[in-house]
């Protein structure tokens, strides 16, 4: 099963290691697709049969209710308020855990992570930021807008395998009940697989981003379980905005599950934070130039805001997420398995 590499357990900000307990996190309980579950498992309860979509271990876990005690989690790793192409913007880096050490039971063959950004209605920007008529060029959208995402496309290690498929048929050459002619052929075809992460912007204006992840279908090691994502979001001057996450995945046996719960995250530039202090704040080096709220908790920068706003366009998002380095490392999904033995298809 793909797992997180050690360097991802910590982050470096200003030359100082930031420990794991400083990360605010959101938990998502798992909800299964009951219709699909019935299709996969119900008719095999009496006498399970090994098929492409049936996996005895996963079936047992579902019968024991392990899905209900599993969860997804999202953790903010870094938030920097600054500028991008001369406009106020915010860099958000977050990690999704598909299998936490305490509540991870299942392996997932594919998953999607969707982030949506909206102006904060509480700060008076929700209605004013909505474009009345998309056809009017003079009507400017002033709400949050995604300017850059990472990763956009990462292809992992390529694994190759040869699959042998058996074909058989029988031709009767005598009256019914008599002997016939039977033949069997074997066809071997090459197959390649790789772990894939791809992100794309959605909506008009582009206020959503969706990342798709797929396991290496040859070695079937599951998706990478702790991916990091980054987005640079333009926002109105001193205007707060929110981010909500939707996480979905498909288990090894083909059962779709959806992460339920997870609070909407409120991001506040420095001035907006100062004007609306509603709760005690926790200092953290994970945020610069403002604050953010998760549920009833608020985090602010541990040090004073930068006198000159950070140029977010100058930051290397790969350096902040390490996603390409991890996926292409010697411990990445599919590493060291470029050539696999012959596999007989079921």
């Amino acid at each position: 099963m793909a797992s997180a590499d050690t360097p991802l357990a910590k982050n470096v900000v200003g030359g100082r290691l930031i420990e794991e307990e400083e990360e605010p996190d959101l938990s998502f309980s798992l909800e299964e697709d009951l219709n699909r579950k019935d299709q996969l498992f119900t008719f095999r309860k009496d006498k399970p049969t090994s098929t492409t979509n049936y996996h005895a271990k996963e079936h047992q876990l579902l019968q024991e209710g392990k899905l209900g005690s599993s969860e997804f989690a999202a953790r903010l790793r870094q938030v920097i308020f600054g500028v991008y192409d001369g406009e106020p913007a915010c860099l958000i880096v977050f990690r999704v855990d598909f299998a936490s050490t305490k509540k991870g039971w299942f392996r997932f063959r594919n998953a999607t992570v969707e982030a949506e950004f909206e102006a904060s209605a509480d700060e008076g920007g929700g209605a004013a930021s909505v474009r009345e008529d998309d056809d009017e060029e003079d009507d400017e959208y002033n709400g949050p807008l995604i300017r850059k995402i990472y990763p956009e496309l990462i292809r992992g290690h390529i694994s190759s395998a040869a699959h042998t498929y058996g074909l058989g048929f029988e031709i009767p050459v005598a009256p019914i009940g008599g002997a016939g002619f039977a033949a069997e052929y074997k066809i071997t075809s090459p197959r390649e697989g790789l772990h894939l992460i791809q992100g794309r912007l959605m909506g008009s204006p582009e206020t959503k981003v969706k990342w798709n992840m797929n396991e290496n279908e040859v070695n079937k090691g599951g998706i990478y379980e702790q991916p990091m994502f980054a987005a640079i979001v333009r926002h109105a001057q001193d205007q707060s905005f929110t981010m909500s996450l939707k996480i979905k995945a498909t288990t090894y046996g083909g059962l779709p599950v959806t992460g339920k719960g997870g609070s909407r995250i409120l991001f506040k530039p420095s001035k907006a934070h100062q004007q609306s202090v509603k709760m005690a704040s926790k200092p953290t080096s994970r945020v610069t130039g403002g604050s953010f709220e998760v549920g009833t908790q608020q985090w602010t920068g541990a040090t004073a805001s930068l006198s000159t706003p950070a140029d977010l366009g100058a930051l290397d998002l790969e350096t902040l997420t390490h996603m390409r380095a991890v996926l292409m490392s010697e411990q990445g999904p599919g590493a060291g398995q470029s050539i696999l033995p012959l596999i007989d298809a079921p």
Side-chain angles (χ1 to χ4, degrees), residues 196-243:
L196 183 71
I197 299 182
Q198 185 170 17
R200 63 186 179 93
L201 297 179
M202 301 170 61
S204 179
E206 294 172 328
T207 58
K208 297 181 183 180
V209 55
K210 185 176 184 179
W211 284 279
N212 293 289
M213 303 179 61
N214 291 282
E215 72 171 357
N216 186 319
E217 294 183 353
V218 169
N219 60 42
K220 298 184 182 300
I223 61 171
Y224 183 69
E225 292 178 348
Q226 291 186 323
M228 296 265 283
F229 304 100
I232 295 178
V233 181
R234 185 211 71 183
H235 58 84
Q237 185 72 41
D238 301 323
Q239 175 64 60
S240 301
F241 65 95
T242 65
M243 179 180 78

Side-chain angles (χ1 to χ4, degrees), residues 37-190:
K37 180 181 179 181
D38 290 341
Q39 294 174 8
L40 290 171
F41 303 115
T42 299
F43 67 93
R44 303 190 186 99
K45 283 183 179 178
D46 296 333
K47 187 178 180 180
T49 304
S50 178
T51 69
T52 302
N53 290 326
Y54 178 81
H55 301 277
K57 183 177 180 181
E58 182 174 299
H59 187 213
Q60 180 180 351
L61 291 173
L62 290 169
Q63 294 293 92
E64 294 174 354
K66 296 298 186 183
L67 187 66
S69 59
S70 298
E71 66 179 19
F72 297 148
R75 293 179 168 84
L76 284 173
R77 300 305 303 270
Q78 198 161 358
V79 176
I80 302 177
F81 290 89
V83 294
Y84 186 84
D85 284 346
E87 297 180 298
C90 181
L91 167 66
I92 300 166
V93 180
F94 65 96
R95 187 182 79 196
V96 172
D97 290 346
F98 286 97
S100 64
T101 55
K102 296 181 179 179
K103 296 186 178 181
W105 298 92
F106 294 86
R107 199 204 78 193
F108 301 101
R109 62 162 93 165
N110 59 57
T112 61
V113 176
E114 181 178 318
E116 180 176 8
F117 299 90
E118 297 178 297
S120 172
D122 293 341
E123 302 296 325
S129 300
V130 178
R131 182 182 296 152
E132 296 294 337
D133 188 350
D134 290 337
D135 295 331
E136 295 186 18
E137 295 183 0
D138 294 335
D139 204 4
E140 182 181 359
Y141 172 76
N142 199 34
L145 186 70
I146 303 173
R147 299 298 309 274
K148 188 176 182 179
I149 62 170
Y150 192 84
E152 291 184 277
L153 178 63
I154 299 179
R155 295 183 174 93
H157 296 284
I158 297 177
S159 301
S160 302
H163 287 249
T164 300
Y165 299 85
L167 301 175
F169 61 89
E170 183 174 347
I171 301 177
V173 295
I176 297 177
F181 172 76
E184 183 176 347
Y185 293 91
K186 288 188 176 181
I187 300 177
T188 300
S189 62

